[in-house]
């Protein structure tokens, strides 16, 4: 007699997330681990700056002086008040709003305010890049990795300068436009109009943002020309009204349409890309140059892998690549666009387990507290004081030469090098400089002439600015001081490792 088969109850299978061998998955989804990762991501650039303090951008001086001038004059300048050459020539301080804020921070905190501004930028830029990637539904860890690579790739251009706001504003703009592109929700695009009103009063590269906005608005026409049908609809025709309104918003500055005359001046300058260090292309001798290239390569691969290769995205990437590879100063554009395109191409519908720790008010507050606490400890640990910052400035700029001039009450006209001009505008307010970093004031030819003089090339002695000079401040490591010691018109009165001072005999 056959026995009926024994009834066996099914063996319950434990979910994978409860398996003791899946500790990596639990660790990766832990909000505590994510919080620690975000604190490190947002603070590491600032911590490295505080540990190895240096002021890499001499233009902070003229921005600070311009802000002080506006606050004391209760008006914006229309001619250049800081240089001999630009005294009777038009000059529109396109970053007037930043300059005012910069001067107010300096009044409140002294030299420590300069450090505070750069620390704020070094925290804000990774934060906004990460926010953009997450808003475009890129998973947490890929978003954090892309942000870390982007933040490192632009590490050489961090500075207390208005261009840092352009990086933040473009990240916001890309987030808004790409979200509208993917979801069809257009209402947030209208917020770009007040964004451009502020942007145009802070930095001249708001023009980059207008170009990107016009590119997205013109996507339907581009798709029609190429007979391409996107999986999600492009921005509607009313987006051109936003373009027009944003353009008009950029005119709501004290300078009105004159702001665009500066744009055309910069667009017409060619020699600055051959003579100014930050305007030269990347030489790929620094690790972060290769990281930038890696990020750009990853973005192109992700676009191809996503199978939704929209022509507008290709044009956006090409625009960023042309400007980014053209000069170091604009290299930030390529990693910002690459992160945005990576997020669009690899986007997922993030599950609850992939939440960012900053997704709730409680976690946002915890993140802010942790970031502030880490920075406060570092500030204290590295003893950030006005005296400490002054020592750092003296090691990079002609601070000792300035003190010698003040002590001996030397008078101009002054002949100085291009790089030190911005610093001297701030430190020697009573003596107009001969040149500084505002190429829209001095032009291609003068920048080239001063570059030749810096290298002591033939013809330096015929420079008309040198012929008029009673006082010379020049970098000690340049060949020109050795030539001036043989010039019967001048005598050396002060040398130090940073600069040499000459006066007319």
């Amino acid at each position: 007699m056959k026995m009926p088969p024994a009834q066996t109850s099914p063996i319950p299978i434990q979910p994978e997330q409860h398996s003791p061998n899946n500790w990596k998955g639990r660790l990766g989804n832990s909000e505590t681990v994510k919080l620690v990762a975000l604190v490190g991501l947002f603070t590491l650039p600032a911590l490295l700056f505080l540990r190895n303090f240096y002021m890499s951008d001499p233009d902070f001086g003229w921005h600070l002086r311009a802000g002080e001038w506006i606050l004391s004059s209760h008006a914006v300048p229309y001619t250049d008040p800081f240089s001999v050459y630009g005294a009777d020539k038009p000059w529109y301080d396109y970053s007037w709003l930043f300059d005012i804020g910069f001067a107010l921070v300096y009044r409140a905190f002294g030299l420590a305010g300069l450090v505070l501004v750069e620390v704020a930028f070094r925290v804000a830029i990774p934060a906004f890049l990460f926010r953009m990637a997450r808003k475009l539904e890129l998973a947490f860890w890929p978003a954090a990795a892309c942000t870390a690579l982007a933040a490192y790739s632009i590490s050489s251009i961090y500075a207390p300068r208005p261009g840092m706001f352009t990086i933040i504003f473009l990240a916001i703009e890309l987030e808004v436009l790409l979200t509208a592109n993917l979801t069809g929700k257009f209402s947030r695009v209208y917020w770009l109009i007040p964004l451009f009103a502020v942007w145009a009063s802070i930095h001249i590269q708001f023009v980059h943002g207008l170009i990107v906005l016009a590119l997205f608005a013109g996507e339907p026409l581009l798709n029609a020309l190429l007979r391409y049908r996107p999986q999600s609809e492009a921005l509607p025709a009313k987006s051109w009204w936003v373009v027009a309104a944003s353009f008009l918003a950029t005119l709501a500055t004290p300078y009105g349409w004159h702001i665009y005359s500066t744009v055309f001046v910069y667009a017409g300058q060619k020699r600055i890309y051959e003579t100014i260090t930050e305007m030269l292309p990347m030489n790929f001798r620094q690790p972060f140059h290769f990281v930038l290239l890696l990020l750009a390569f990853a973005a192109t691969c992700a676009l191809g892998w996503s199978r939704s290769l929209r022509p507008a995205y290709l044009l956006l990437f090409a625009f960023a690549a042309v400007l980014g590879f053209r000069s170091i100063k604009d290299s930030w554009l390529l990693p910002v666009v690459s992160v945005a395109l990576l997020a669009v191409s690899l986007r997922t519908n993030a599950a609850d387990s992939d939440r960012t720790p900053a997704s709730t008010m409680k976690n946002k507050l915890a993140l802010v507290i942790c970031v502030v606490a880490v920075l406060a400890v570092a500030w204290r640990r590295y003893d950030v004081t006005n005296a400490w910052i002054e020592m750092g400035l003296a090691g990079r700029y002609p601070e000792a030469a300035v003190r010698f001039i003040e002590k001996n009450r030397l008078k101009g006209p002054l002949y100085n090098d291009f790089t030190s001009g911005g610093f001297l505008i701030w430190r020697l307010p009573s003596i107009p400089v001969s040149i500084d970093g505002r190429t829209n004031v001095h032009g291609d030819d003068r920048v080239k002439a001063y570059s030749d003089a810096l290298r002591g090339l033939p013809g330096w002695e015929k420079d008309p600015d040198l012929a008029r000079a009673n006082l010379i401040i020049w970098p000690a490591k340049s060949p020109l001081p050795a030539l001036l010691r043989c010039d019967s018109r001048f005598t050396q009165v002060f040398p130090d490792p940073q600069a040499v001072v000459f006066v007319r005999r």
Side-chain angles (χ1 to χ4, degrees), residues 295-329:
L295 200 57
F297 179 72
T300 57
C301 292
L303 282 174
W305 179 80
S306 68
R307 300 179 183 178
S308 58
L309 194 59
R310 300 172 77 128
Y313 293 173
L314 283 178
L315 277 181
L316 176 64
F317 182 81
F319 169 70
V322 168
L323 294 184
F325 287 123
R326 182 183 63 169
S327 74
I328 296 171
K329 186 176 181 180

Side-chain angles (χ1 to χ4, degrees), residues 6-169:
Q7 300 293 324
T8 59
S9 58
I11 299 175
I13 300 177
Q14 295 293 331
E16 188 178 357
Q17 62 267 24
H18 296 298
S19 170
N21 295 326
N22 195 34
W23 62 271
K24 292 182 180 179
R26 295 199 305 274
L27 188 65
N29 290 327
S30 167
E31 289 199 0
T32 301
V33 173
K34 290 180 179 180
L35 179 63
V36 172
L38 286 184
V39 172
L41 181 64
F42 297 164
T43 60
L44 185 59
L47 295 178
L48 293 175
F49 169 67
L50 292 175
R51 183 176 182 272
N52 306 300
F53 170 73
Y54 57 93
M55 295 290 290
S56 59
D57 180 26
D59 285 347
F60 81 88
W62 77 255
H63 284 295
L64 185 55
R65 176 80 190 285
E68 293 173 341
W69 191 95
I70 294 171
L71 290 173
S72 61
S73 304
H74 305 287
V76 295
Y78 283 85
T79 57
D80 178 22
F82 307 133
S83 72
V84 176
Y85 175 80
D88 58 347
K89 295 177 176 61
W91 176 59
Y92 310 116
D93 183 11
Y94 54 78
S95 57
W96 65 274
L97 188 57
F98 171 85
D99 295 346
I100 291 175
F102 200 31
L104 290 174
V105 171
Y106 178 72
R107 286 185 179 182
F109 301 101
L111 290 173
L114 310 184
V115 177
L116 190 62
V117 170
E118 181 156 348
V119 166
F121 283 137
R122 286 174 175 261
V123 173
I125 288 174
F128 276 94
L129 288 177
F130 180 79
R131 180 182 186 275
M132 174 184 68
R134 290 293 286 155
K135 287 291 184 178
L136 294 174
E137 297 185 359
L138 185 61
F140 178 88
W141 290 110
C146 289
T147 301
L149 291 174
Y152 177 66
S153 70
I154 63 175
S155 57
S156 66
I157 64 173
Y158 283 121
R161 63 199 306 178
M164 301 297 100
F165 275 109
T166 286
I167 301 176
I168 295 170
F169 290 160

Side-chain angles (χ1 to χ4, degrees), residues 247-317:
F247 170 76
L248 293 176
T250 64
L251 302 178
T253 73
Y255 298 112
W257 64 269
H258 290 291
I259 196 74
Y260 283 93
S261 67
T262 303
V263 174
F264 291 121
V265 168
Y266 279 132
Q269 292 181 335
K270 305 300 180 186
R271 290 185 175 180
I272 61 173
Y273 295 99
E274 303 170 359
T275 54
I276 301 176
T277 302
E278 69 174 359
M279 304 304 291
L280 298 174
M282 290 178 287
N283 56 18
F284 289 97
R285 294 180 181 177
Q286 300 293 337
F288 46 80
H289 293 165
F290 291 96
V291 170
L292 186 150
L293 188 63
L294 173 65
L295 200 57
F297 179 72
T300 57
C301 292
L303 282 174
W305 179 80
S306 68
R307 300 179 183 178
S308 58
L309 194 59
R310 300 172 77 128
Y313 293 173
L314 283 178
L315 277 181
L316 176 64
F317 182 81

